[in-house]
Amino acid sequence: GRGGGGGALYATNVQNVILLFTDIVGFSKMAMHSDPMDVMNTLQSLFGKFDALCDTHGVSKHETIGDAYICTANLFGEDSFGGNATEAAVRMLEMGKDMIRAA
């Protein structure tokens, strides 16, 4: 499972996982020349849109790190693809296209 609270981390073998990793081009330069609250509000707004798209496409938000957003399909048991890698990949591709449109 995922870490936290100082417990041990254990690896799990999961097949047919689809991962989408995003990164905002030019974010560091933009952030250096912007008010920190504006940067945080921009990220919060964008990631809120991405969260809604995860629900729309049946994928799971995995993590955000700075300006990076990571989502997965077929990683957790509650995903809606039942291990079907082809369906998960198509849905993740649609997710990525919608993320670009939302940005």
Side-chain angles (χ1 to χ4, degrees):
R2 292 180 59 176
L9 296 176
Y10 298 96
T12 303
N13 185 7
V14 181
Q15 296 182 0
N16 300 322
V17 172
I18 309 297
L19 176 101
L20 176 63
F21 177 90
T22 68
D23 187 67
I24 300 172
V25 175
F27 176 80
S28 296
K29 186 175 182 179
M30 177 200 72
M32 283 192 298
H33 302 290
S34 301
D35 177 72
M37 289 304 297
D38 289 342
V39 172
M40 293 306 299
N41 287 335
T42 298
L43 284 177
Q44 184 175 9
S45 174
L46 182 61
F47 290 168
K49 292 175 186 177
F50 291 175
D51 290 347
L53 288 172
C54 282
D55 292 339
T56 298
H57 292 285
V59 303
S60 299
K61 174 182 179 177
H62 187 72
E63 191 165 354
T64 59
I65 306 167
D67 65 315
Y69 188 98
I70 304 166
C71 52
T72 61
N74 284 340
L75 180 61
F76 302 111
E78 66 271 10
D79 286 349
S80 59
F81 306 107
N84 183 324
T86 302
E87 176 66 18
V90 168
R91 293 297 280 285
M92 193 64 83
L93 178 61
E94 294 302 318
M95 170 77 178
K97 290 194 279 185
D98 282 350
M99 290 170 95
I100 291 168
R101 287 191 271 282

